[in-house]
């Protein structure tokens, strides 16, 4: 159990996080918010790269700062950009990281073989990483985070730059890894967490806005999301009256998915809300919204 109790983080007078309370157990948690909302600050607090201004973080009931290295031994961390040597092979790189983590050579060799099979890189274990795709590099990153068989796996924007096929493979891998550990996936890309996260954690104005399942979040917009087909000439005026969620061309007209309260029209078709709708609604005033 990982518990965050009344945690705040200030940089001088600027409040990055305010009164954060969370409890996490086995499974995948999607930490979902636009860039700059505080996701990375929370991640850095969890991996002890930053320290709370107020409050405490507990692992199995004990403060992680007091646990020190005993807590870090339970951690696996993949930052947004991790350092690697392009002229190293995955095997060489992981042996190097294992040595830094104090893992014995024989144990590391066995563990690296298992991990490279897990992330589907066994066939390129001895090839230089300079020729690898972004998705392959990210899978090496997952392998290095898993070297110590962590009970808490934290991934900060891990799918940035990956193509759709690599992102699907990545999500499937995370689902497999989450069976016996806490996996925290920080992202601003809705599709990365919609299908695999047991719970979604949304941050707004430096506070936790929601910690709910995808289904529970979507229910918050039940009966408020619609679609309609209209001429392009009418679209500008319509957008001023509703929150447009998505638009696409259809048979020479414009199909708009939107959210509206109060007024209805017989040409509007009520549709089931999706997590992306919730995201766009919650962060409609933010400049850097990327539903993805």
């Amino acid at each position: 159990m990982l518990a965050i109790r009344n945690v705040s983080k200030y940089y001088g007078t600027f409040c990055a996080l305010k009164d954060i309370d969370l409890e996490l157990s086995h499974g995948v948690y999607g930490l979902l918010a636009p860039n700059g909302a505080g996701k990375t600050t929370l991640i850095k607090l969890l991996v002890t790269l930053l320290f709370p201004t107020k409050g405490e973080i507990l692992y199995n009931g004990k403060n992680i700062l007091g646990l020190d290295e005993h807590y870090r031994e339970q951690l696996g961390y993949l930052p947004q950009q991790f350092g690697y040597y392009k002229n190293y092979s995955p095997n060489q790189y992981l042996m190097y990281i294992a040595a830094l983590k104090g893992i014995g050579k024989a144990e590391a060799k066995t563990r690296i073989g298992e991990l490279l099979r897990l992330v589907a890189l066994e066939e390129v274990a001895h090839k230089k990483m300079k020729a690898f795709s972004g998705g392959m590099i990210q899978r090496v990153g997952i392998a290095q985070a898993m070297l110590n068989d962590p009970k808490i796996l934290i991934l900060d924007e891990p799918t940035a730059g990956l193509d759709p096929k690599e992102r699907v493979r990545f999500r499937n891998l995370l689902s497999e890894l989450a069976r016996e550990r806490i996996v925290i996936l920080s992202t601003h890309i809705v599709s990365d967490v919609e299908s695999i996260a047991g719970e979604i954690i949304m941050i707004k104005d430096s506070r936790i806005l929601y910690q709910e399942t995808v289904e529970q979040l979507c229910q918050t917009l039940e009966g408020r999301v619609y679609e309609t087909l209209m001429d392009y000439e009418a679209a500008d005026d319509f957008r001023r009256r509703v929150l447009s969620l998505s638009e696409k061309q259809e048979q020479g007209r414009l199909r708009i998915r939107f959210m509206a309260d109060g007024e209805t029209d017989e040409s509007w078709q009520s549709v089931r809300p999706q997590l992306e709708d919730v995201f766009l609604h919650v962060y409609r005033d933010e400049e850097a919204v990327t539903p993805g």
Side-chain angles (χ1 to χ4, degrees), residues 58-78:
L58 307 175
Y59 179 61
N60 290 337
K62 296 181 180 180
N63 193 304
I64 63 172
L65 300 182
L67 290 171
D68 197 27
E69 65 182 54
H70 298 294
Y71 170 69
R72 293 189 187 96
E73 287 172 355
Q74 309 302 317
L75 278 178
Y77 176 44
L78 178 62

Side-chain angles (χ1 to χ4, degrees), residues 171-189:
R171 293 198 295 265
N172 292 341
L173 175 59
L174 293 189
S175 294
E176 177 70 20
L177 294 175
R179 291 191 298 174
E180 299 177 350
R181 54 182 55 85
I182 297 170
V183 177
I184 302 171
L185 174 59
S186 169
T187 186
H188 64 285
I189 302 174

Side-chain angles (χ1 to χ4, degrees), residues 145-268:
M146 290 290 297
L147 270 171
N148 56 330
D149 194 19
K151 297 302 180 185
I152 304 169
L153 181 61
I154 299 176
L155 311 167
D156 193 2
E157 300 283 359
T159 62
L162 303 193
D163 65 35
K165 184 177 179 180
E166 289 171 329
R167 284 164 63 183
V168 169
R169 184 188 291 123
F170 195 84
R171 293 198 295 265
N172 292 341
L173 175 59
L174 293 189
S175 294
E176 177 70 20
L177 294 175
R179 291 191 298 174
E180 299 177 350
R181 54 182 55 85
I182 297 170
V183 177
I184 302 171
L185 174 59
S186 169
T187 186
H188 64 285
I189 302 174
V190 172
S191 58
D192 282 347
V193 293
E194 188 166 23
S195 61
I196 64 169
E199 289 188 349
I200 303 294
I201 299 164
M202 301 182 81
I203 300 175
K204 187 174 185 182
D205 298 329
S206 305
R207 297 176 182 266
I208 299 296
L209 184 65
Y210 292 115
Q211 183 185 1
E212 306 283 357
T213 66
V214 172
E215 182 179 358
Q216 289 168 331
L217 284 171
C218 291
Q219 285 175 353
T220 65
L221 294 186
E222 194 67 44
R224 302 166 66 190
V225 180
Y226 304 88
E227 288 187 1
T228 192
L229 198 62
M230 65 175 58
D231 295 329
Y232 284 92
E233 293 77 12
D236 284 342
D237 180 64
F238 189 73
R239 292 187 193 104
R240 285 191 282 270
R241 296 190 288 118
V242 302
L243 173 62
S244 177
L245 301 169
S246 66
E247 302 178 6
K248 64 179 180 179
Q249 181 178 339
E250 187 174 302
Q251 298 176 345
R253 303 182 76 197
L254 189 66
R255 178 168 292 279
I256 299 184
R257 183 183 183 93
F258 62 96
M259 197 191 89
D261 290 309
E263 65 173 310
T264 59
D265 188 282
E266 62 180 15
S267 66
W268 298 359

Side-chain angles (χ1 to χ4, degrees), residues 1 3-8 19-23 54-58:
M1 176 72 74
I4 303 168
R5 303 291 190 209
N6 198 35
V7 165
S8 298
D19 298 329
I20 304 298
D21 278 292
L22 294 170
E23 286 194 359
K54 184 182 74 171
E56 60 182 355
I57 301 172
L58 307 175

Side-chain angles (χ1 to χ4, degrees), residues 33-35 188 279 286-290:
N35 290 329
H188 64 285
F279 185 86
E286 305 287 341
E287 292 185 0
V289 170
T290 310

